[in-house]
Amino acid sequence: MAVQEWVLHVDLDQFIAAVEVARRPELRGKPVVVGGTGDPAERAVVATASYEAREFGIQSGMPLRTAAKRCPDAIFLATDAPAYQEVSDRVMATLREFPVVVEVLGWDEAFLGAAIDDPEALAADIRRVVAEETGLSCSVGIGDNKLRAKLATGFAKPAGIYRLVQENWWDVMAEKPTDALWGIGTKTTKKLAEAGYHTVLELAGADPADLAVRFGPKLGPWYRILAGGIGDTEVTATPYVARSRSRETTFQQNLTDPDAMAAEVATLAKRVSQDVAEEGRPAARVAVKVRFAPFLTHTHSVTLPAPTADPAEIEKAALTVLGMFDLGRPVRLLGVRAEFLSTAERSASP
């Protein structure tokens, strides 16, 4: 093949669980669940689970108690964010040793931009070197844009390589449900199905005007673009910048008093304000997450009149958002999130 521009998506397999197994080799091959303090009797959720644990139906975001019921023999471990960050930094440093542009997406994934003639050979080298340098396994998706590379990784997992480009897009994706697309979740999939769009091919053939009416003038037509496999091709080495800062608390006993809920939200808002100040960027939106018992989660948000790092304004906004909820039910978790302006929004600001 002639040299051309490729986008590779590198995704570390079962990253958090893999880090824990690397630290405790005796756990290899066993069902490992990481989350909270590692005590399934406490209220917390699964951060990640090893493939052996996933065979029992254990998934990220699931209550630890549920995970324990599904797999009583699972080994539960507390989360250790500093350890995961240290390993992630080593992996990203390893990727930067290749002749590629590295765009970090988080602890366990990155886009790579490469001008090469054999992307599969590069992907194989990446998998080998990451394993040698860190002991971790990764999967690599190859695409002609970020969307296709990201989706290709799903077909590559675990520990594989897969190419998804314009030439094979329809063969692979046409009959997939719409939630197979990166950026379309469960709720949107349901709404699309109600509108008559069940597959990627059906969504790609949708009338943009109909989608605009149903989902908004920007979001609706964008779904059709996604279904065509069209995406961004630029990979940038700009350092990863957090889109938001959040804090949340899971209560071991449900909260039933709205005043107590407001006090907790105010406390969380103060902690988030400190994070915003340390970030050095003002918050543009404030969101509140409420998880009602037994496990029903809702989120509401407001856009601030002007971006700010003022703790009083962030707390006021959080309490305003809390007032959008019906707090007549017991609450098991509260969270506050401050969202920063996106790059596009910052560029558009006067």
Side-chain angles (χ1 to χ4, degrees), residues 2-349:
V3 172
Q4 69 177 81
E5 296 289 336
W6 296 95
V7 178
L8 278 65
H9 178 251
V10 177
D11 195 333
L12 295 164
D13 298 322
Q14 53 176 3
F15 173 62
I16 294 175
V19 173
E20 296 294 351
V21 170
R23 296 200 291 182
R24 303 172 178 83
E26 69 274 12
L27 299 181
R28 190 172 305 279
K30 297 181 179 180
V32 175
V33 178
V34 182
T37 63
D39 183 356
E42 294 184 1
R43 283 185 168 177
V45 298
V46 175
T48 194
S50 66
Y51 289 126
E52 292 80 5
R54 295 179 195 182
E55 292 179 359
F56 291 86
I58 297 174
Q59 303 174 358
S60 298
M62 174 183 291
L64 291 183
R65 290 178 181 177
T66 302
K69 290 179 180 178
R70 294 193 176 188
C71 184
D73 294 330
I75 298 165
F76 288 84
L77 302 174
T79 55
D80 186 352
Y84 311 144
Q85 184 65 61
E86 188 273 333
V87 175
S88 175
D89 290 344
R90 284 168 49 204
V91 171
M92 299 308 162
T94 298
L95 295 178
R96 292 188 181 98
E97 294 176 359
F98 288 89
V100 298
V101 177
V102 179
E103 182 176 329
V104 179
L105 299 181
W107 276 343
D108 61 347
E109 61 177 329
F111 282 122
L112 310 183
I116 48 176
D117 60 354
D118 190 345
E120 277 80 10
L122 174 61
D125 286 343
I126 287 170
R127 291 200 64 257
R128 176 180 54 80
V129 174
V130 168
E132 291 174 350
E133 296 293 328
T134 69
L136 299 179
S137 168
C138 66
S139 299
V140 183
I142 299 169
D144 45 12
N145 60 41
K146 289 181 176 179
L147 170 66
R148 289 177 173 143
K150 172 78 171 180
L151 294 179
T153 312
F155 295 104
K157 281 188 169 290
I161 299 168
Y162 192 88
R163 183 192 293 203
L164 183 61
V165 292
Q166 182 178 356
E167 286 75 16
N168 68 337
W169 175 258
W170 297 117
D171 289 340
V172 175
M173 297 297 297
E175 299 307 316
K176 298 288 185 185
T178 57
D179 62 359
L181 295 168
W182 183 31
I184 295 184
T186 303
K187 292 182 179 179
T188 301
T189 297
K190 182 178 179 180
K191 292 179 180 178
L192 286 169
E194 292 171 350
Y197 309 117
H198 299 87
T199 67
V200 171
L201 182 61
E202 289 173 345
L203 181 57
D207 180 354
D210 178 56
L211 292 174
V213 170
R214 293 176 182 274
F215 299 97
K218 292 185 178 179
L219 203 55
W222 178 67
Y223 290 149
R224 184 175 182 270
I225 292 173
L226 279 182
I230 300 170
D232 185 12
T233 60
E234 182 181 4
V235 178
T236 173
T238 302
Y240 172 74
V241 177
R243 297 178 181 177
S244 63
R245 291 294 185 185
S246 63
R247 297 280 185 164
E248 61 183 42
T249 300
T250 299
F251 308 105
Q252 298 307 311
Q253 299 294 328
N254 293 335
L255 294 186
T256 56
D257 180 3
D259 290 337
M261 298 175 197
E264 291 288 347
V265 165
T267 298
L268 290 168
K270 288 183 174 68
R271 295 172 64 192
V272 167
S273 297
Q274 293 175 350
D275 296 336
V276 169
E278 292 175 1
E279 187 72 25
R281 293 183 288 154
R285 287 171 289 275
V286 173
V288 172
K289 178 167 73 173
V290 178
R291 179 166 293 149
F292 297 100
F295 206 79
L296 183 65
T297 306
H298 292 291
T299 302
H300 291 304
S301 64
V302 294
T303 298
L304 298 170
T308 182
D310 185 349
E313 289 298 318
I314 292 174
E315 179 180 337
K316 178 182 176 182
L319 291 172
T320 298
V321 177
L322 182 65
M324 299 177 181
F325 293 89
D326 176 5
L327 300 177
R329 293 171 288 173
V331 169
R332 62 177 289 155
L333 176 147
L334 288 169
V336 174
R337 182 177 72 249
E339 300 176 358
F340 304 116
L341 289 173
S342 66
T343 301
E345 289 172 322
R346 291 198 304 271
S347 300
S349 299

